[in-house]
């Protein structure tokens, strides 16, 4: 049972480049989330989804877009990367109420 | 002011000591309280989950919630080097609340 899988795990981008982070969960969870984690800031919610085909903005959505075309996948896109988007990105899922299951994280550096 | 405040530490204790961690919050609607443990370069994992006020014990871990003071605590007894991690508190208003509010995390090192 893989749980929540994020790809890629590491990526270096130049300012202005675009990329997509993929999150896949095999637990049939309805809710999926993208967070970023920065030193001293904790986990900040970027976007989330409460079901296939739905997305909503979190605390820090600017500069990011998401899509949930399939229930098991939640994609996070950066259209024009900026150095301020250097961070560790975590995907998480939950069945409804209760525990959030996190992926291992994706480390992104924007030069 | 952040909705959830957590002292980032770092906290360093000798093996066998009691570790005391806490968070304060401002939203009186919070009813569900969680503690997550995050090892270096890993994702957070749920450690304790409590509802409303009171205590919950699980092995060496005890979670306390004082809603009147808007204060939650996590105690680790007989701490081990394997407890070295960052501990994040999280909370939500309802069981179906889509979003959790996280503290910044406290980094704990248990010295052998």
């Amino acid at each position: 049972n893989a749980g929540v899988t994020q790809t890629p795990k590491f990526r270096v981008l130049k300012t202005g480049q675009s990329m997509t982070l993929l999150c896949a969960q095999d637990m049939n969870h309805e809710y999926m989330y993208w967070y970023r984690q920065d030193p001293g800031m904790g986990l900040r919610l970027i976007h989330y989804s409460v079901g296939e085909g739905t997305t909503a903005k979190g605390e820090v959505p600017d500069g990011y877009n998401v899509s949930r075309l399939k229930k098991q996948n939640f994609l996070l896109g950066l259209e024009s990367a900026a150095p301020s988007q250097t961070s560790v990105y975590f995907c998480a899922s939950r069945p409804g109420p209760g525990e959030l299951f996190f992926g291992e994280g994706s480390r992104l550096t924007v030069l | 002011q952040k909705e959830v405040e957590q002292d980032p530490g770092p906290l360093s204790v000798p093996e066998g000591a009691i570790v005391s961690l806490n968070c304060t919050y401002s939203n009186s609607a919070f009813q569900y309280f969680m503690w997550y443990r995050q090892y270096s370069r890993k994702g957070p994992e749920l450690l304790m989950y409590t509802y409303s006020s009171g205590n919950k014990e699980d092995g060496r871990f005890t979670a306390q919630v004082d809603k009147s003071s808007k204060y939650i605590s996590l105690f680790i007894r007989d701490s081990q080097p394997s407890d070295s991690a960052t501990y994040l508190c999280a909370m939500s208003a309802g069981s179906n609340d889509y979003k959790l509010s996280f503290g910044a995390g406290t980094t704990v090192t248990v010295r052998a």
Side-chain angles (χ1 to χ4, degrees), chain A residues 10 31 33 35 37 40-43 45 48 50 57-58 90 94 96-105 107, chain B residues 2 8 34 36 38 40-46 49 86 88 92 94-100 102-105:
Chain A
F10 302 92
Y31 303 169
Y33 304 79
Y35 290 90
Q37 187 175 40
M41 303 292 287
L43 286 163
L45 182 62
Y48 64 100
V50 300
K57 294 180 180 180
F90 286 100
R94 65 197 296 211
E99 181 178 357
L100 264 178
F101 293 82
F102 285 88
E104 298 259 297
R107 292 181 175 273
Chain B
K2 293 181 183 178
M34 289 139 274
Y36 283 81
Q38 185 178 19
S40 180
R41 296 184 174 269
K42 297 289 186 182
E45 56 182 352
L46 185 67
Y49 188 107
T86 296
L88 301 102
S92 68
S95 61
N96 282 322
D97 199 353
Y98 301 137
K99 296 180 284 184
L100 300 184
F102 282 88

Side-chain angles (χ1 to χ4, degrees), chain B residues 10-66:
Chain B
L11 193 60
S12 179
V13 300
E15 184 175 357
I18 294 175
V19 177
S20 174
L21 305 167
N22 58 74
C23 290
T24 57
Y25 61 94
S26 56
N27 187 346
S28 58
F30 287 148
Q31 298 187 80
Y32 295 85
F33 304 93
M34 289 139 274
W35 286 95
Y36 283 81
R37 178 176 60 195
Q38 185 178 19
Y39 290 117
S40 180
R41 296 184 174 269
K42 297 289 186 182
E45 56 182 352
L46 185 67
L47 194 59
M48 299 285 281
Y49 188 107
T50 55
Y51 169 71
S52 194
S53 288
N55 294 358
K56 184 175 183 178
E57 191 171 315
D58 184 2
R60 296 184 295 110
F61 298 90
T62 300
Q64 289 185 349
V65 175
D66 182 349

Side-chain angles (χ1 to χ4, degrees), chain A:
Chain A
N1 188 348
V4 179
T5 303
Q6 294 181 228
T7 52
K9 290 185 170 42
F10 302 92
R11 185 74 188 269
V12 178
L13 289 177
K14 294 181 179 179
T15 297
Q17 287 185 318
S18 63
M19 74 158 296
T20 300
L21 295 175
L22 171 63
C23 177
Q25 52 97 1
D26 61 3
M27 296 173 283
N28 201 36
H29 287 171
E30 289 293 333
Y31 303 169
M32 295 188 74
Y33 304 79
W34 275 107
Y35 290 90
R36 60 178 290 173
Q37 187 175 40
D38 304 288
M41 303 292 287
L43 286 163
R44 292 184 292 169
L45 182 62
I46 304 171
H47 286 282
Y48 64 100
S49 169
V50 300
E52 182 179 311
T54 75
T55 63
K57 294 180 180 180
E59 301 172 64
V60 289
D62 294 342
Y64 305 95
N65 57 77
V66 287
S67 65
R68 182 112 181 256
L69 298 179
K70 293 183 179 181
K71 186 177 184 179
Q72 63 268 33
N73 295 338
F74 196 29
L75 279 65
L76 178 71
L78 285 72
E79 291 185 348
S80 180
S84 61
Q85 294 177 304
T86 294
S87 187
V88 181
Y89 292 85
F90 286 100
C91 177
S93 71
R94 65 197 296 211
E99 181 178 357
L100 264 178
F101 293 82
F102 285 88
E104 298 259 297
S106 296
R107 292 181 175 273
L108 175 65
T109 300
V110 183
L111 302 175

